């Protein structure tokens, strides 16, 4: 069951005006359509398609992608994601075309349906749900959440309880009427901004959120830490740009690499900061950095994450395997005559970087389209 909570704050009129004045860039449209036809020779009718697009942009300021163009564009946007190490399977991305959904309630329902379909009882499926685009006449919907599943962060006199990264979103949700339990792993509601009117809060139902409690194969005390993490990393605050058209609400997911949770979400000092806790339970000497207590604790935390997801039957990869897969992807792209852009600082894992093959080379830093891009969001 869904719980809807409204507030009375309309969206920014100036932001809407900037959308209303924008028309599709025909050069971007043509570049994308030519790419689509070059990689899909059986599509046929390139010049007729370009004439139709030019006519529609002249009349309406925008054109409409066919489903085949949308599917291809979303998959290539993943292929072009220079911060993603897991692009080998870009062709397998499932594209949910929901461009006809026009209400905030409908957006909420589709986000929940996305989670259920992508989760697959633990067999995670790379998925994107594409909702209406920005047009010259109407701004598309947006999600303020950076991921469909995020844990709340509560300010207290003794510090933050939960995830410090999400304090601003938690406070925005509470200002709109949400009441969290004050725990370390409370799932935040979705905050949806429709084209017109009030923001909408949607509490994500429990059956749409698969979580994995963390344990360690060698240390029974690890379960006493009460750590857990959710199974699906669904990015929800990026705009999918295809051929000059912006789809501002297009949540997408792959599956987790263990270090995203074990070396960042749970380990970073400005997140859950669990390295001192783990080090203490391991009996490590934390009085000097030369004992490498952080390194030891970090490895054991990552061992626990990988072990727990495997035990729960939830798809996850490790950084050594994924590094080799990325170089396979890079080789395939080069053989296809395509540039494979990559940001070294994101591709190299945050644990044992120099022990992985992706560390020992440079990458093309081109920015390609179609792409998933960040647009500024306002939580106020």
């Amino acid at each position: 069951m869904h719980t809807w909570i409204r507030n009375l704050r309309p969206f920014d009129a100036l932001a809407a005006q900037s959308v209303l004045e924008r028309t599709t860039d025909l050069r971007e449209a043509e570049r994308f359509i030519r790419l689509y036809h070059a990689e899909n020779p059986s599509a046929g009718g390139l010049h007729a398609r370009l004439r139709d697009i030019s006519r529609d942009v002249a009349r309406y300021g925008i054109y409409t992608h066919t489903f085949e163009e949308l599917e291809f564009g979303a998959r290539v946007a993943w292929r072009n994601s220079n911060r993603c190490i897991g692009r080998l399977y870009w062709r397998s991305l499932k594209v949910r075309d929901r461009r006809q959904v026009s209400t905030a309630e409908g957006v909420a329902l589709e986000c929940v349906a996305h989670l259920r379909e992508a989760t697959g009882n633990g067999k995670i499926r790379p998925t994107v749900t594409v909702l209406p685009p920005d047009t010259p006449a109407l701004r598309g919907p947006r999600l303020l959440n950076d991921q469909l599943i995020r844990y709340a962060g509560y300010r207290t006199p003794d510090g933050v309880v939960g995830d410090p990264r999400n304090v601003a979103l938690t406070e925005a949700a509470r200002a709109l009427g949400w009441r969290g339990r004050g725990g370390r792993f409370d799932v935040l509601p979705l905050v949806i901004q429709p084209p017109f009117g009030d923001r909408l809060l949607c509490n994500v139902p429990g059956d749409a959120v698969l979580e994995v409690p963390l344990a360690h194969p060698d240390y029974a005390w690890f379960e006493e830490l009460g750590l857990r993490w959710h199974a699906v990393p669904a990015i929800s605050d990026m705009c999918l740009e295809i051929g000059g058209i912006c789809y501002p609400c297009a949540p997408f997911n792959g599956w987790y690499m263990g270090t995203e949770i074990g070396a960042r979400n749970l380990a970073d000092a400005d997140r859950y900061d669990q390295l001192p806790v783990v080090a203490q339970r391991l009996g490590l000497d934390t009085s000097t950095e030369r004992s490498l207590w952080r390194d030891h604790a970090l490895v054991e935390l990552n061992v626990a994450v990988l072990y727990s997801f495997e035990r729960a039957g939830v798809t996850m990869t490790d950084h050594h395997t994924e590094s080799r897969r990325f170089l396979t992807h890079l080789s395939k792209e080069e053989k296809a005559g395509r540039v494979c852009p990559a940001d070294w600082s994101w591709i190299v894992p945050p644990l044992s970087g120099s022990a992985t093959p992706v560390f020992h080379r440079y990458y093309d830093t081109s920015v390609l389209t179609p792409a998933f891009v960040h647009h500024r969001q306002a939580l106020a």
Side-chain angles (χ1 to χ4, degrees):
M1 178 179 292
H2 303 281
T3 302
W4 312 107
I5 312 174
R6 287 190 178 275
N7 81 323
L8 300 176
R9 185 179 183 276
F11 75 92
D12 190 330
L14 291 178
Q17 183 64 27
S18 67
V19 171
L20 297 176
E21 294 173 352
R22 188 183 306 136
T23 59
T24 300
D25 186 333
L26 271 174
R27 293 169 299 179
E28 289 294 323
E30 179 175 350
R31 186 178 297 116
F32 168 68
I33 294 301
R34 288 188 180 278
L35 176 66
Y36 170 71
H37 280 259
E39 296 193 30
N40 298 273
S42 62
L46 168 62
H47 296 293
R49 180 62 176 138
L50 290 175
R51 285 195 301 270
D52 290 344
I53 289 172
S54 180
R55 179 199 62 213
D56 288 348
V57 171
R59 289 179 179 176
Y60 313 115
I62 194 171
Y63 67 103
T64 301
H65 290 127
T66 66
F67 172 75
E68 291 75 19
E69 291 167 354
L70 182 73
E71 181 178 61
F72 173 77
R75 288 173 174 173
V76 173
W78 185 14
R79 186 176 82 191
N80 290 338
S81 297
N82 63 0
R83 291 182 171 184
C84 178
I85 195 174
R87 287 176 267 168
L88 178 61
Y89 305 107
W90 66 272
R91 294 182 186 274
S92 70
L93 181 67
K94 178 182 179 181
V95 179
R96 303 177 71 246
D97 183 1
R98 298 299 186 268
R99 288 175 289 175
Q100 78 283 2
V101 175
S102 59
T103 66
E105 290 84 353
V107 171
L109 289 170
E110 289 301 336
C111 289
V112 172
H114 176 118
L115 286 173
R116 288 179 173 137
E117 292 184 27
T119 301
N121 294 319
K123 187 174 177 59
I124 311 300
R125 172 74 186 270
T127 303
V128 61
T129 296
V130 185
L131 290 140
D134 284 338
T135 75
L138 187 66
R139 172 183 166 124
R142 270 124 170 108
L143 280 168
L144 272 65
N145 310 62
D146 67 329
Q147 292 194 21
L148 293 183
I149 304 172
R150 275 301 196 194
Y151 295 121
Y154 306 96
R155 295 187 197 273
T156 75
D158 299 320
V160 174
V161 174
D163 193 342
R165 178 187 180 122
N166 301 319
V167 166
L169 181 60
T170 302
E171 292 178 348
R174 295 178 83 175
L176 300 179
W178 181 69
R179 295 292 175 264
R181 298 189 305 273
R184 299 171 71 199
F185 297 98
D186 294 350
V187 175
L188 282 164
L190 301 176
V191 184
I192 301 162
Q193 176 61 69
F196 293 110
D198 309 336
R199 286 176 178 168
L200 178 75
L201 292 189
C202 170
N203 288 329
V204 184
D207 71 309
V209 183
L210 176 60
E211 294 181 283
V212 178
L214 302 187
H216 193 285
D218 300 320
Y219 302 115
W221 54 258
F222 197 96
E223 290 187 72
E224 298 171 9
L225 301 182
L227 301 178
R228 61 196 306 109
W229 207 260
H230 56 89
V232 180
I235 307 299
S236 55
D237 67 341
M238 298 184 77
C239 172
L240 172 58
E241 291 189 351
I242 303 175
I245 295 177
C246 170
Y247 298 95
C249 189
F252 64 96
N253 71 275
W255 49 73
Y256 271 118
M257 185 166 71
T259 53
E260 295 178 82
I261 301 170
R264 299 303 309 276
N265 298 341
L266 294 176
D268 284 355
D270 60 350
R271 298 293 297 286
Y272 279 85
D273 194 23
Q274 291 298 296
L275 294 187
V277 178
V278 173
Q280 181 183 25
R281 298 299 292 266
L282 287 168
L284 303 179
D285 177 10
T286 60
S287 66
T288 173
E289 297 295 346
R290 287 176 174 252
S291 70
L292 300 184
W293 64 269
R294 298 180 196 277
D295 308 70
H296 189 165
L298 189 64
V299 168
E300 298 302 343
L301 185 53
N302 279 268
V303 167
V305 169
L306 290 168
Y307 166 77
S308 301
F309 270 66
E310 183 175 14
R311 183 179 69 168
V314 176
T315 304
M316 172 174 278
T317 187
D318 67 87
H319 51 292
H320 295 287
T321 299
E322 208 58 44
S323 294
R324 292 193 298 271
R325 286 175 179 170
F326 180 73
L327 293 187
T328 298
H329 167 69
L330 189 65
S331 176
K332 287 185 175 183
E333 290 300 294
E334 290 172 348
K335 287 179 181 178
R338 293 192 290 259
V339 171
C340 181
D343 183 333
W344 188 94
S345 65
W346 281 74
I347 295 300
V348 175
L351 175 66
S352 305
S354 63
T356 64
V358 293
F359 178 92
H360 302 279
R361 58 164 297 160
Y362 294 103
Y363 301 96
D364 192 298
T365 57
S366 303
V367 177
L368 305 178
T369 58
F372 289 99
V373 300
H374 277 292
H375 285 181
R376 186 175 64 86
Q377 298 275 23
L379 286 175

